[in-house]
Amino acid sequence: LAVKFCDGSCTDMGNDQSIALTNGWNIMSFNMTPEDIDMLSILAGLTDNGSLVKVQDETGAAIEYISFLSQWSNNIGNMAATEGYYVKVNQGATLTATGSPVDLPLDIDLTIGWNIISYPAQNPQVALDALSGLIDNNSLVKVQDETGAAIEYISFLSQWSNNIGNFKSGEGYYVKVNQAATLTIDEGDMSLVRTAYKDKVEPVHFTPAFAGNPYLPMNLYILSASIGDKPADLGTEVGIYDNDVCVGAAVIVETLEPESSYLSIPVSQDDPTTDMRDGYIPGSKIDVRVFDGEREYVAHVGDLVFTSQGTEVMSLDISAGPTSYRLYANYPNPFNPTTTISYDLSKEGEVSLIVYNILGELVHTMVSGYQKAGSYNITWDASAYASGVYFIIMEAGTFRETSKVLLIK
């Protein structure tokens, strides 16, 4: 076993399997069985050079460095050819294993809910073909790869959507089923493998807070996007936020006007292995922003919330711009301890949004300064305040409006 660093390519030579790992989270699996199947032995090169951060299997068992023991702890045990492993590294690396090819066909037992499976074949195959047995018996719910790309049944298309393309050697996959089932993997028909993919265009205006692949991603599908009375132009960026943290973004590169078209955006959950907030918190409200190259808009998508590895479908119908000043009713109301306040500015200028108690005393300043025309959302965290009635006063130019809110703890 050895670990080497390379440019991200992945090749198989003889009985060697090379698995490219990108900085951040990866899902890997093996199509070889090394002589020593202890996971720490397999990963020795990564631990020796300090690049390994953590490994998890589908049960949540982990391999990680335990500081109070001053050693690596292996709660996974031995490598299994049926399993995929969630691996985080702090730099790009290639893990190379030498062993005997896994005998195929191989049966992979799946428990109800989420599993992490291996792809033990030597050659790639169309993912939907490999999953056909689970689809035929109606047990498949969803599949995700390490980038957040998904396979799932899209109700508005009345068909299965394959945004993964091919299953590939070295990769592992999250698979969710609604009942215990068995997935059988064999070598596929290479003539059916998809090789033509469109290049991904990376957003420039919206920058996700996470690095590398998303952690336990949620899949969002944008069916349509319009600004004013016109469809959003190609090149328009869509950013997904949890409060002020960008958790995912994508660029519209094809028209969304045909009924069969949509924009797929995987978004990242907050990564517990990092010191900063870099993803969504499950249960938080989904905040969608759109940038047309000149101006950023806030899209109102109702009460949609983030769910770990979940799915949401939405359409974005954005006003070209507020025609008047407006302070919307906060949501939720009553609340404990946070509530979201939305407001519109028809003109740029100085704006204030201030909270007062029932005695008329200023208790919190949410906004005070210059803002451009547009629609805004802001969250007030009232954890430090007592239950009771409060008043939110918005002032912009000659506009002044008051909203009454109720904090109940």
Side-chain angles (χ1 to χ4, degrees):
L1 293 172
V3 174
K4 60 184 179 182
F5 293 89
C6 70
D7 61 3
S9 61
C10 180
T11 58
D12 292 327
M13 299 173 290
N15 289 338
D16 289 344
Q17 181 184 16
S18 296
I19 302 172
L21 303 173
T22 62
N23 182 22
W25 286 99
N26 305 260
I27 311 177
M28 72 173 191
S29 68
F30 300 94
N31 60 18
M32 300 285 178
T33 303
E35 183 175 344
D36 186 350
I37 60 174
D38 178 79
M39 282 293 288
L40 269 180
S41 296
I42 295 173
L43 298 166
L46 297 179
T47 57
D48 290 346
N49 65 28
S51 61
L52 185 65
V53 178
K54 187 173 184 176
V55 183
Q56 285 183 313
D57 67 11
E58 64 188 16
T59 71
I63 295 172
E64 57 190 323
Y65 188 80
I66 306 298
S67 58
F68 63 85
L69 295 177
S70 298
Q71 66 182 29
W72 285 88
S73 174
N74 179 10
N75 290 312
I76 293 177
N78 294 332
M79 161 259 174
T82 57
E83 302 303 304
Y85 300 94
Y86 211 20
V87 180
K88 185 173 184 181
V89 290
N90 56 28
Q91 57 187 313
T94 296
L95 175 65
T96 301
T98 301
S100 303
V102 173
D103 292 331
L104 299 178
L106 180 68
D107 289 339
I108 301 176
D109 292 329
L110 305 174
T111 60
I112 186 171
W114 284 104
N115 304 259
I116 309 179
I117 67 164
S118 69
Y119 179 67
Q122 302 295 317
N123 300 308
Q125 65 176 297
V126 178
L128 279 177
D129 292 345
L131 298 164
S132 60
L134 300 180
I135 294 173
D136 291 344
N137 66 20
N138 297 315
S139 59
L140 184 63
V141 177
K142 186 174 184 177
V143 182
Q144 287 181 316
D145 69 8
E146 64 189 16
T147 72
I151 295 171
E152 56 189 320
Y153 188 80
I154 304 296
S155 58
F156 62 86
L157 296 177
S158 298
Q159 66 183 32
W160 285 88
S161 175
N162 179 9
N163 288 313
I164 292 177
N166 304 321
F167 279 172
K168 299 175 184 177
S169 173
E171 300 292 324
Y173 301 90
Y174 266 105
V175 176
K176 186 177 184 180
V177 291
N178 56 26
Q179 58 185 320
T182 299
L183 173 64
T184 301
I185 298 293
D186 204 347
E187 291 291 352
D189 186 345
M190 285 288 291
S191 66
L192 300 177
V193 169
R194 295 167 54 187
T195 57
Y197 295 95
K198 294 183 175 63
D199 291 334
K200 183 178 179 181
V201 178
E202 296 294 339
V204 176
H205 182 74
F206 296 117
T207 303
F210 64 91
N213 294 319
Y215 177 71
L216 295 180
M218 180 180 183
N219 297 97
L220 303 182
Y221 297 101
I222 312 297
L223 302 188
S224 63
S226 61
I227 300 175
D229 58 355
K230 297 180 180 179
D233 292 332
L234 302 187
T236 296
E237 297 185 20
V238 180
I240 311 298
Y241 281 75
D242 182 350
N243 291 307
D244 288 326
V245 178
C246 184
V247 300
V251 180
I252 298 176
V253 295
E254 292 183 320
T255 177
L256 299 180
E257 293 186 81
E259 291 185 2
S260 61
S261 64
Y262 59 89
L263 178 66
S264 174
I265 308 180
V267 297
S268 181
Q269 186 171 316
D270 186 42
D271 184 350
T273 67
T274 61
D275 294 330
M276 66 175 188
R277 170 81 180 280
D278 57 3
Y280 67 82
I281 303 298
S284 296
K285 188 176 179 180
I286 297 174
D287 178 10
V288 181
R289 307 179 190 181
V290 176
F291 181 68
D292 65 359
E294 296 182 356
R295 178 178 167 186
E296 183 177 308
Y297 302 87
V298 174
H300 297 286
V301 293
D303 299 329
L304 300 180
V305 298
F306 292 104
T307 57
S308 183
Q309 295 183 282
T311 299
E312 283 291 357
V313 177
M314 63 186 71
S315 294
L316 308 180
D317 187 7
I318 301 165
S319 170
T323 58
S324 63
Y325 294 102
R326 183 175 180 183
L327 175 63
Y328 294 87
N330 63 300
Y331 180 86
N333 191 25
F335 68 100
N336 178 28
T338 62
T339 188
T340 298
I341 300 95
S342 301
Y343 59 99
D344 292 339
L345 303 177
S346 58
K347 297 179 181 179
E348 61 185 355
E350 293 292 326
V351 182
S352 67
L353 198 65
I354 299 175
V355 182
Y356 294 88
N357 62 21
I358 199 167
L359 299 176
E361 299 169 329
L362 189 154
V363 297
H364 182 67
T365 299
M366 290 187 284
V367 177
S368 179
Y370 187 90
Q371 290 188 325
K372 294 182 178 180
S375 299
Y376 295 85
N377 294 325
I378 190 166
T379 298
W380 179 34
D381 185 347
S383 299
Y385 302 102
S387 298
V389 174
Y390 292 86
F391 298 93
I392 298 173
I393 298 180
M394 173 183 166
E395 292 184 327
T398 59
F399 175 84
R400 178 185 172 95
E401 187 165 337
T402 301
S403 177
K404 184 170 70 173
V405 301
L406 179 60
L407 171 61
I408 299 178
K409 292 188 174 182

